[in-house]
Amino acid sequence: MKPCIPKLTIVLSLVLYSIGWLGTAQAQRSRENFDKLWQFHKGDIAIKQAVKAGKQGGLTDANVKVVEGEEAIIAYTDKNKVANYKPSDWINVNLPHDWLIEEPYIHDDNIGSQPAGNGYRLPGIGFYRKEFEVSEADSGRKITIEFDGIFRNSTVWVNGHLMGNHPSGYLPAWYDLTNVLRYGKEGKNVILVKVDATDYEGWWYEGCGIYRHVWLTKTDPLHVARFGTFVTTPSVSDREAVVSVKTTIQNEYKDPKTITLVSKLVDSKGALLNTQTVSQSIAAFDQVEIAQTGTIPQPQRWSPETPNLYKVLTEVSEAGKLVDTYETTFGVRTIALTTEGFFLNGKLYPIKGTANHQDFAGVGVALPDKLNAYRLKLLKEMGCNGYRTAHHPPTPELLDLCDQMGLLVMDENRLLTSTDNGLNDLKTLLYRDRNHPSIFMWSLENEESLEGNVTGTRILAKMVETARKIDTTRPTTAAMNHGWNEGGYSDAVDVVGYNYGQRGMQYVKDHEKFPQRKMIVSESTSYVATRGEHEDNKQKGYVSNFGMGLSWGLQPGQDWKHIVQYPYLSGTFVWSGFDYRGEPTPYRWPCVSSHFGIMDLCGFPKDGYYAYKAAWTDTPLVHVFPHWNWPGKESKPMKMRGYTNCDEVEWLVNGKRVLKQKVEPFEYIESEVVYQPGQFEARGYKGGKLVARELLQTTTAPAHLTLNADVTSLKADGTDVAIINIAIRDAKGRVVPTASNQVKFSINGPGRIIGTGNGNPSSRESDKASQRMAFNGYCQVLVQSNQSAGDIRLSATAETLKGAEVILHVH
Ligand code: GAL
């Protein structure tokens, strides 16, 4: 493919100045999204380190300088030629980007940290580069770049200067570019990022590349430090919340400065509630932490049901001139994890949670914010109030969404380690995330082999001590799979996490033995099921929704029954909310994804979804499965299972009652029924009153498609996404539950297809193609807006079926 190399003439900083949010020429602080107009090179480029700045070595200032012209992107001096550089090796990309999603599947169980862990795709090395200009007016400001997440082991050069290396694939990498940038006429800047993902950090699909956002921040040398505010509410009552605001101000001038710090508390509508002002001097090249205390009268509590947010607006002035502004979102809520369970705002509040990796159909780990919001919306609709960021720090935008949408977060660290690097990673996690009201716990590790071991205990204790120095307002936990009662391991954390603690009723026994122990079910269930499948099929890699209970798991809903019976367990995080690539269990190839999800990779619900919705919401519900399309099985007995939150259920086949039965809370009902094509009706009763119904009908052949977009309009920002679900229906409009037609998409207008999916864990079709096989009646296409307004027309066709079209207004 001939690359189209854009003339990168956009001067982002000037744009930001022109729309400066304070409307002044010398904006105090700007934070520019830096996701657009990158170039990507798959494969390694040999680079020798320079031994003297700008002089010798492989990638010096001289050999990365930009040469104007159609073909050249980087000119390498002959002497220091680093690679046989070809412009055609580079393609244009916008971030977030996961290149592994476009790699072929390789049937080799050895790929990954455990067999098939990475989903049969081979990660590798890639490079990203971007040219950008910085205006003369920015000279003298402090300019930093923050990568929310690069998977993994990234090395960054700017204008040939090695800025640093950052191994973690899950924590942000941050560099101060001030001294090495070229300002105004000094020329263009080039940033080069090497990503070496040849190693793994987990046992799931982890992707490859700059898969989260990038930000360029410009401030005065006198400014609020990175992650420089800490807002807590040490005392909360109906009358008043006391708000403690700690602000770290950094002076990078060579002279001492006297600053005035104003901290304004505002509500979600921006109404000013309180102002605190203090003056302070700061020595040259030094920083100070300033503590202020304000109050909010009659505070609106934050909770998943009422996600009320407040802000601290920070203003830093020097000699009457405003030099920096900063915003911190926070919430007013009380949390207490006790021996009796978890309390939110003083009330027992069991966590209805799921644990999740960052992965979605069509895009891999590179989720635009909209897809994170979509996933959280689906979880909330199911009745979830909790989210565990398994098993690593999440992208920060996910936490903003949890604050706004209302989900309590168990924020998880990646590794059990007390090395300097490990503790620094943990500190970054805590400093970055500690203002989020959604976060109620820090999870320091998951299922490490040193659990219950004295060495593990020493390491964990050091991590807890490190966390407590940064935040005492939330408890620490470890998501343990074993070793709860050995080596003092459990005593090191505030709350003991039980992964699959139902085995041998370990958590109940431990509660009796250690009544002072605070507990949470950090992981449960691991129920494997392939959406729409009702028979195991090892050859295809499918697992029936009747479930093969795994030896360490439970049936959907039974996990919740334990929380209701034993509230001291504080709640549960079901493994997992969504399917994710890699870790295909129990079968491997041709299966390439997990099917632990309550929903599949597209967010389509499996049968078990209804067990949770029944348990976690008040909406009366009956669900019954499998579907009612079984040609050849007429007059044969058929196993049917039902989930409900009603107290009695009735089943009818073609109008004739085949079952009427009382139902125990959180249990399913199961019975054999003779299959006759037509209609299966499930009715749910509460106190003898019919409150819920579900109809299964035998369909005829697929006849047409319908498209269901989650929105009718998109923002013309180049990032917004519409999720369009395609259903294959018969002539009467009923979804054909076994349909697997190939659906072709075409698009017109200011948008593009960024991926497709169908939730089939064994699908090895390209996620980036403009066609997809439907899987058991459904598939999905993701459409992202461009930066211009207009109408997007997305049409879907399938041979012999009547196609459909959806229009999305972009403005
Ligand atoms: C847990 C582990 C998860 C996942 C799950 C599958 O033990 O924490 O990452 O592997 O098992 O059941």
Side-chain angles (χ1 to χ4, degrees):
M1 185 182 31
K2 174 117 173 58
C4 150
I5 298 161
K7 291 221 159 188
L8 303 177
T9 51
I10 294 174
V11 187
L12 286 168
S13 56
L14 282 178
V15 172
L16 250 281
Y17 273 156
S18 64
I19 57 161
W21 62 287
L22 288 166
T24 55
Q26 183 65 47
Q28 283 75 37
R29 170 183 290 262
S30 65
R31 186 171 182 258
E32 305 162 20
N33 179 281
F34 217 50
D35 288 351
K36 300 246 159 72
L37 301 174
W38 286 76
Q39 289 161 319
F40 170 66
H41 173 282
K42 204 183 95 187
D44 204 0
I45 299 172
I47 291 174
K48 282 191 214 140
Q49 293 302 346
V51 293
K52 286 192 181 175
K55 277 235 160 176
Q56 297 175 359
L59 197 75
T60 64
D61 183 70
N63 59 31
V64 293
K65 85 170 177 243
V66 180
V67 171
E68 296 293 347
E70 283 299 297
E71 291 296 285
I73 305 177
I74 303 175
Y76 296 97
T77 58
D78 278 348
K79 208 169 90 212
N80 289 321
K81 205 167 192 173
V82 252
N84 285 330
Y85 170 72
K86 281 205 288 304
S88 56
D89 288 345
W90 295 77
I91 56 164
N92 298 322
V93 295
N94 289 329
L95 309 177
H97 180 241
D98 172 5
W99 86 75
L100 192 56
I101 194 77
E102 296 179 65
E103 292 294 287
Y105 291 96
I106 303 168
H107 184 185
D108 178 356
D109 277 357
N110 295 318
I111 300 173
S113 67
Q114 68 176 35
N118 208 45
Y120 296 103
R121 276 170 159 152
L122 189 64
I125 295 175
F127 278 77
Y128 293 82
R129 69 184 300 282
K130 177 180 164 85
E131 296 174 16
F132 60 105
E133 290 179 12
V134 178
S135 81
E136 179 63 38
D138 281 335
S139 171
R141 300 178 84 197
K142 181 185 168 84
I143 304 187
T144 59
I145 193 163
E146 179 119 15
F147 295 87
D148 280 350
I150 303 174
F151 199 86
R152 71 174 293 281
N153 192 12
S154 54
T155 309
V156 172
W157 293 263
V158 172
N159 297 334
H161 300 266
L162 175 65
M163 304 311 299
N165 169 264
H166 183 81
S168 168
Y170 296 110
L171 281 163
W174 180 82
Y175 302 103
D176 184 346
L177 309 184
T178 311
N179 297 335
V180 301
L181 287 174
R182 302 184 180 114
Y183 297 88
K185 292 200 186 69
E186 288 173 19
K188 278 185 190 166
N189 295 283
V190 186
I191 182 164
L192 184 72
V193 181
K194 177 179 180 179
V195 179
D196 181 352
T198 48
D199 217 340
Y200 305 92
E201 296 187 40
W203 48 90
W204 53 92
Y205 174 87
E206 302 184 285
C208 284
I210 310 180
Y211 72 106
R212 294 180 180 174
H213 296 305
V214 183
W215 306 95
L216 196 73
T217 299
K218 298 173 183 171
T219 65
D220 192 275
L222 185 59
H223 57 272
V224 176
R226 183 187 184 217
F227 310 140
T229 58
F230 186 29
V231 183
T232 56
T233 50
S235 119
V236 176
S237 71
D238 289 345
R239 197 176 54 82
E240 179 182 270
V242 175
V243 183
S244 151
V245 182
K246 288 182 179 155
T247 310
T248 304
I249 312 280
Q250 199 160 354
N251 175 17
E252 298 194 38
Y253 283 103
K254 61 180 170 31
D255 307 307
K257 297 280 175 189
T258 299
I259 58 112
T260 302
L261 169 68
V262 178
S263 296
K264 295 177 177 168
L265 305 183
V266 298
D267 69 13
S268 56
K269 297 194 181 85
L272 182 63
L273 306 173
N274 190 285
T275 304
Q276 299 296 319
T277 306
V278 73
S279 288
Q280 170 92 38
S281 57
I282 312 174
F285 298 117
D286 203 0
Q287 63 175 44
V288 291
E289 186 188 82
I290 301 170
Q292 294 167 303
T293 304
T295 53
I296 297 177
Q298 283 119 35
Q300 302 288 307
R301 305 292 206 287
W302 183 95
S303 76
E305 294 71 32
T306 57
N308 296 304
L309 295 172
Y310 292 92
K311 272 183 188 168
V312 177
L313 304 181
T314 305
E315 294 171 2
V316 183
S317 320
E318 196 241 338
K321 187 176 151 237
L322 191 60
V323 292
D324 196 14
T325 55
Y326 193 82
E327 276 190 21
T328 310
T329 300
F330 72 101
V332 178
R333 85 281 185 273
T334 60
I335 52 170
L337 214 142
T338 75
T339 52
E340 263 106 65
F342 175 62
F343 290 79
L344 177 68
N345 296 323
K347 291 198 189 96
L348 185 68
Y349 195 91
I351 304 293
K352 305 166 175 173
T354 63
N356 295 288
H357 291 314
Q358 175 173 329
D359 197 353
F360 199 74
V363 295
V365 296
L367 271 69
D369 296 347
K370 169 63 190 291
L371 290 182
N372 275 318
Y374 183 68
R375 278 161 51 103
L376 297 181
K377 177 174 155 270
L378 295 179
L379 291 171
K380 286 214 52 140
E381 281 169 6
M382 185 172 69
C384 256
N385 63 22
Y387 188 100
R388 175 175 169 220
T389 69
H391 300 300
H392 55 76
T395 195
E397 293 74 26
L398 180 94
L399 298 172
D400 293 337
L401 288 165
C402 289
D403 290 346
Q404 291 156 17
M405 297 172 71
L407 280 144
L408 282 155
V409 177
M410 178 186 280
D411 196 2
E412 192 151 291
N413 181 52
R414 178 66 214 99
L415 288 174
L416 176 75
T417 166
S418 57
T419 61
D420 282 354
N421 283 345
L423 294 180
N424 282 336
D425 279 354
L426 178 62
K427 286 181 197 166
T428 302
L429 168 69
L430 269 96
Y431 282 126
R432 188 193 70 168
D433 293 350
R434 63 185 177 172
N435 291 317
H436 289 281
S438 54
I439 297 174
F440 78 112
M441 291 190 89
W442 304 112
S443 167
L444 302 184
E445 63 95 352
N446 174 72
E447 297 195 352
E448 293 274 351
S449 47
L450 291 182
E451 285 169 3
N453 165 295
V454 288
T455 309
T457 302
R458 284 195 293 266
I459 296 172
L460 187 62
K462 180 73 188 172
M463 294 173 75
V464 170
E465 183 192 312
T466 304
R468 283 190 189 139
K469 280 208 179 113
I470 297 171
D471 179 30
T472 52
T473 71
R474 301 170 179 91
T476 56
T477 191
M480 298 165 64
N481 185 277
H482 64 279
W484 292 285
N485 302 325
E486 287 129 43
Y489 198 83
S490 285
D491 300 330
V493 278
D494 301 307
V495 177
V496 182
Y498 281 81
N499 285 12
Y500 311 96
Q502 88 289 345
R503 288 167 294 165
M505 292 308 270
Q506 181 80 35
Y507 42 43
V508 175
K509 287 182 193 154
D510 283 1
H511 172 72
E512 282 157 14
K513 204 159 156 202
F514 308 103
Q516 292 315 309
R517 185 176 283 183
K518 297 168 186 164
M519 308 168 108
I520 191 157
V521 182
S522 37
E523 198 169 309
S524 66
T525 315
S526 277
Y527 187 76
V528 274
T530 309
R531 178 182 58 76
E533 293 295 319
H534 300 97
E535 278 168 11
D536 291 340
N537 188 332
K538 187 170 179 191
Q539 232 179 353
K540 288 189 172 170
Y542 299 158
V543 189
S544 160
N545 278 257
F546 284 108
M548 144 162 346
L550 296 174
S551 59
W552 62 93
L554 278 174
Q555 294 284 333
Q558 289 180 333
D559 41 9
W560 184 247
K561 191 174 181 177
H562 282 183
I563 304 303
V564 175
Q565 282 172 333
Y566 314 114
Y568 56 80
L569 292 175
S570 304
T572 189
F573 290 94
V574 180
W575 191 267
S576 49
F578 298 91
D579 285 350
Y580 52 93
R581 294 174 177 81
E583 211 183 3
T585 313
Y587 310 128
R588 294 186 194 150
W589 190 271
C591 188
V592 295
S593 289
S594 84
H595 15 189
F596 292 111
I598 301 173
M599 289 174 259
D600 70 17
L601 206 53
C602 298
F604 294 129
K606 303 180 190 174
D607 293 304
Y609 169 93
Y610 298 94
Y612 291 102
K613 191 161 186 169
W616 288 350
T617 70
D618 294 331
T619 319
L621 170 161
V622 274
H623 176 67
V624 68
F625 60 97
H627 53 75
W628 207 238
N629 269 32
W630 298 98
K633 294 204 175 172
E634 291 79 3
S635 305
K636 299 219 171 89
M638 169 83 56
K639 183 164 79 172
M640 301 297 291
R641 185 181 290 179
Y643 297 120
T644 187
N645 49 14
C646 300
D647 49 39
E648 194 175 17
V649 158
E650 183 183 20
W651 289 351
L652 302 100
V653 174
N654 296 332
K656 232 176 94 192
R657 181 194 289 169
V658 291
L659 171 141
K660 189 154 189 190
Q661 193 177 307
K662 298 267 181 218
V663 192
E664 285 290 306
F666 318 118
E667 289 292 346
Y668 57 82
I669 36 169
E670 198 168 278
S671 180
E672 279 199 341
V673 170
V674 175
Y675 174 67
Q676 294 297 351
Q679 177 166 300
F680 186 108
E681 184 183 350
R683 294 179 181 169
Y685 297 89
K686 277 193 176 179
K689 210 171 133 217
L690 178 68
V691 287
R693 271 176 94 221
E694 191 183 61
L695 267 193
L696 307 176
Q697 288 183 309
T698 312
T699 70
T700 50
H704 68 112
L705 304 171
T706 54
L707 302 185
N708 180 19
D710 72 317
V711 287
T712 51
S713 63
L714 290 172
K715 287 187 217 106
D717 59 3
T719 64
D720 205 0
V721 175
I723 295 102
I724 301 163
N725 292 331
I726 295 92
I728 314 280
R729 297 179 188 265
D730 73 359
K732 287 194 173 160
R734 301 169 296 199
V735 177
V736 180
T738 50
S740 57
N741 305 65
Q742 187 184 58
V743 182
K744 293 191 173 161
F745 304 106
S746 62
I747 188 164
N748 265 305
R752 58 197 180 275
I753 292 172
I754 55 163
T756 64
N758 61 10
N760 176 356
S762 301
S763 168
R764 295 187 309 286
E765 297 164 87
S766 165
D767 277 0
K768 297 293 179 188
S770 55
Q771 61 194 41
R772 194 83 197 197
M773 303 298 291
F775 179 62
N776 291 331
Y778 298 97
C779 62
Q780 184 174 73
V781 59
L782 307 174
V783 170
Q784 188 164 52
S785 58
N786 293 341
Q787 281 174 287
S788 49
D791 279 355
I792 297 175
R793 263 168 205 278
L794 186 280
S795 59
T797 54
E799 256 177 44
T800 73
L801 307 189
K802 189 164 167 261
E805 162 176 293
V806 70
I807 295 176
L808 301 162
H809 309 292
V810 185
H811 48 70

